[in-house]
PDB file of all heavy atoms in Angstrom:
ATOM      1  N   ASP S  12     -10.983   7.950  -1.118  1.00  0.00           N
ATOM      2  CA  ASP S  12     -12.017   7.814  -2.083  1.00  0.00           C
ATOM      3  C   ASP S  12     -13.002   6.657  -1.467  1.00  0.00           C
ATOM      4  O   ASP S  12     -12.652   5.625  -1.379  1.00  0.00           O
ATOM      5  CB  ASP S  12     -11.570   7.409  -3.440  1.00  0.00           C
ATOM      6  CG  ASP S  12     -12.765   7.144  -4.398  1.00  0.00           C
ATOM      7  OD1 ASP S  12     -13.740   7.836  -4.206  1.00  0.00           O
ATOM      8  OD2 ASP S  12     -12.536   6.265  -5.258  1.00  0.00           O
ATOM      9  N   PHE S  13     -14.211   7.001  -1.117  1.00  0.00           N
ATOM     10  CA  PHE S  13     -15.243   6.054  -0.562  1.00  0.00           C
ATOM     11  C   PHE S  13     -15.968   5.657  -1.882  1.00  0.00           C
ATOM     12  O   PHE S  13     -16.822   6.468  -2.522  1.00  0.00           O
ATOM     13  CB  PHE S  13     -16.113   6.643   0.408  1.00  0.00           C
ATOM     14  CG  PHE S  13     -15.522   6.888   1.737  1.00  0.00           C
ATOM     15  CD1 PHE S  13     -15.018   7.974   2.070  1.00  0.00           C
ATOM     16  CD2 PHE S  13     -15.480   5.815   2.776  1.00  0.00           C
ATOM     17  CE1 PHE S  13     -14.405   8.183   3.460  1.00  0.00           C
ATOM     18  CE2 PHE S  13     -15.012   5.926   3.991  1.00  0.00           C
ATOM     19  CZ  PHE S  13     -14.422   7.094   4.292  1.00  0.00           C
ATOM     20  N   LYS S  14     -15.958   4.416  -2.264  1.00  0.00           N
ATOM     21  CA  LYS S  14     -16.723   3.874  -3.319  1.00  0.00           C
ATOM     22  C   LYS S  14     -18.186   3.626  -2.709  1.00  0.00           C
ATOM     23  O   LYS S  14     -18.312   3.381  -1.623  1.00  0.00           O
ATOM     24  CB  LYS S  14     -16.196   2.540  -3.881  1.00  0.00           C
ATOM     25  CG  LYS S  14     -14.921   2.827  -4.511  1.00  0.00           C
ATOM     26  CD  LYS S  14     -14.296   1.394  -4.955  1.00  0.00           C
ATOM     27  CE  LYS S  14     -12.836   1.421  -5.259  1.00  0.00           C
ATOM     28  NZ  LYS S  14     -11.900   1.416  -4.094  1.00  0.00           N
ATOM     29  N   PRO S  15     -19.162   3.937  -3.533  1.00  0.00           N
ATOM     30  CA  PRO S  15     -20.603   3.616  -2.979  1.00  0.00           C
ATOM     31  C   PRO S  15     -20.804   2.185  -2.653  1.00  0.00           C
ATOM     32  O   PRO S  15     -20.499   1.303  -3.448  1.00  0.00           O
ATOM     33  CB  PRO S  15     -21.463   4.114  -4.133  1.00  0.00           C
ATOM     34  CG  PRO S  15     -20.643   4.221  -5.312  1.00  0.00           C
ATOM     35  CD  PRO S  15     -19.265   4.322  -4.934  1.00  0.00           C
ATOM     36  N   TYR S  16     -21.462   1.978  -1.505  1.00  0.00           N
ATOM     37  CA  TYR S  16     -21.867   0.685  -1.027  1.00  0.00           C
ATOM     38  C   TYR S  16     -23.365   0.646  -0.929  1.00  0.00           C
ATOM     39  O   TYR S  16     -23.909   1.120   0.000  1.00  0.00           O
ATOM     40  CB  TYR S  16     -21.190   0.449   0.361  1.00  0.00           C
ATOM     41  CG  TYR S  16     -21.478  -1.020   0.836  1.00  0.00           C
ATOM     42  CD1 TYR S  16     -20.396  -1.939   0.648  1.00  0.00           C
ATOM     43  CD2 TYR S  16     -22.638  -1.394   1.532  1.00  0.00           C
ATOM     44  CE1 TYR S  16     -20.680  -3.321   1.169  1.00  0.00           C
ATOM     45  CE2 TYR S  16     -22.837  -2.650   2.001  1.00  0.00           C
ATOM     46  CZ  TYR S  16     -21.851  -3.616   1.818  1.00  0.00           C
ATOM     47  OH  TYR S  16     -22.072  -4.849   2.274  1.00  0.00           O
ATOM     48  N   GLY S  17     -23.978   0.022  -1.993  1.00  0.00           N
ATOM     49  CA  GLY S  17     -25.351  -0.072  -2.105  1.00  0.00           C
ATOM     50  C   GLY S  17     -25.760  -1.638  -2.076  1.00  0.00           C
ATOM     51  O   GLY S  17     -24.971  -2.407  -1.848  1.00  0.00           O
ATOM     52  N   ARG S  18     -27.049  -1.707  -2.561  1.00  0.00           N
ATOM     53  CA  ARG S  18     -27.564  -3.034  -2.591  1.00  0.00           C
ATOM     54  C   ARG S  18     -26.777  -3.917  -3.514  1.00  0.00           C
ATOM     55  O   ARG S  18     -26.359  -3.440  -4.618  1.00  0.00           O
ATOM     56  CB  ARG S  18     -29.044  -3.023  -3.000  1.00  0.00           C
ATOM     57  CG  ARG S  18     -29.848  -2.435  -1.981  1.00  0.00           C
ATOM     58  CD  ARG S  18     -31.316  -2.388  -2.322  1.00  0.00           C
ATOM     59  NE  ARG S  18     -31.924  -1.308  -1.583  1.00  0.00           N
ATOM     60  CZ  ARG S  18     -33.286  -1.067  -1.778  1.00  0.00           C
ATOM     61  NH1 ARG S  18     -34.046  -1.726  -2.501  1.00  0.00           N
ATOM     62  NH2 ARG S  18     -33.681   0.065  -0.998  1.00  0.00           N
ATOM     63  N   GLY S  19     -26.348  -4.975  -3.134  1.00  0.00           N
ATOM     64  CA  GLY S  19     -25.558  -6.009  -3.905  1.00  0.00           C
ATOM     65  C   GLY S  19     -24.062  -5.787  -3.721  1.00  0.00           C
ATOM     66  O   GLY S  19     -23.271  -6.622  -4.239  1.00  0.00           O
ATOM     67  N   ALA S  20     -23.679  -4.783  -3.122  1.00  0.00           N
ATOM     68  CA  ALA S  20     -22.255  -4.499  -2.946  1.00  0.00           C
ATOM     69  C   ALA S  20     -21.502  -5.521  -2.235  1.00  0.00           C
ATOM     70  O   ALA S  20     -20.329  -5.892  -2.532  1.00  0.00           O
ATOM     71  CB  ALA S  20     -21.966  -3.159  -2.184  1.00  0.00           C
ATOM     72  N   PHE S  21     -22.038  -6.250  -1.152  1.00  0.00           N
ATOM     73  CA  PHE S  21     -21.472  -7.229  -0.417  1.00  0.00           C
ATOM     74  C   PHE S  21     -21.027  -8.321  -1.408  1.00  0.00           C
ATOM     75  O   PHE S  21     -19.864  -8.787  -1.316  1.00  0.00           O
ATOM     76  CB  PHE S  21     -22.327  -7.730   0.682  1.00  0.00           C
ATOM     77  CG  PHE S  21     -21.603  -8.713   1.640  1.00  0.00           C
ATOM     78  CD1 PHE S  21     -20.884  -8.231   2.727  1.00  0.00           C
ATOM     79  CD2 PHE S  21     -21.638 -10.063   1.476  1.00  0.00           C
ATOM     80  CE1 PHE S  21     -20.179  -9.094   3.445  1.00  0.00           C
ATOM     81  CE2 PHE S  21     -20.989 -10.960   2.254  1.00  0.00           C
ATOM     82  CZ  PHE S  21     -20.221 -10.370   3.410  1.00  0.00           C
ATOM     83  N   SER S  22     -21.975  -8.860  -2.037  1.00  0.00           N
ATOM     84  CA  SER S  22     -21.614  -9.871  -3.057  1.00  0.00           C
ATOM     85  C   SER S  22     -20.593  -9.600  -4.018  1.00  0.00           C
ATOM     86  O   SER S  22     -19.771 -10.355  -4.510  1.00  0.00           O
ATOM     87  CB  SER S  22     -22.921 -10.613  -3.583  1.00  0.00           C
ATOM     88  OG  SER S  22     -23.698  -9.638  -4.355  1.00  0.00           O
ATOM     89  N   GLN S  23     -20.708  -8.368  -4.524  1.00  0.00           N
ATOM     90  CA  GLN S  23     -19.775  -7.919  -5.490  1.00  0.00           C
ATOM     91  C   GLN S  23     -18.372  -7.796  -5.022  1.00  0.00           C
ATOM     92  O   GLN S  23     -17.355  -8.200  -5.745  1.00  0.00           O
ATOM     93  CB  GLN S  23     -20.195  -6.510  -6.087  1.00  0.00           C
ATOM     94  CG  GLN S  23     -21.446  -6.468  -6.899  1.00  0.00           C
ATOM     95  CD  GLN S  23     -21.902  -5.054  -7.181  1.00  0.00           C
ATOM     96  OE1 GLN S  23     -21.379  -4.062  -6.735  1.00  0.00           O
ATOM     97  NE2 GLN S  23     -23.028  -4.994  -7.941  1.00  0.00           N
ATOM     98  N   ILE S  24     -18.298  -7.285  -3.773  1.00  0.00           N
ATOM     99  CA  ILE S  24     -16.943  -7.245  -3.178  1.00  0.00           C
ATOM    100  C   ILE S  24     -16.440  -8.778  -2.913  1.00  0.00           C
ATOM    101  O   ILE S  24     -15.193  -8.946  -3.277  1.00  0.00           O
ATOM    102  CB  ILE S  24     -16.925  -6.440  -1.874  1.00  0.00           C
ATOM    103  CG1 ILE S  24     -17.273  -5.017  -2.200  1.00  0.00           C
ATOM    104  CG2 ILE S  24     -15.632  -6.653  -1.074  1.00  0.00           C
ATOM    105  CD1 ILE S  24     -17.617  -4.135  -0.857  1.00  0.00           C
TER     106      ILE S  24
END
Side-chain angles (χ1 to χ4, degrees):
D12 178 34
F13 285 94
K14 296 175 194 79
Y16 185 95
R18 294 182 206 179
F21 186 89
S22 62
Q23 289 171 357
I24 293 169

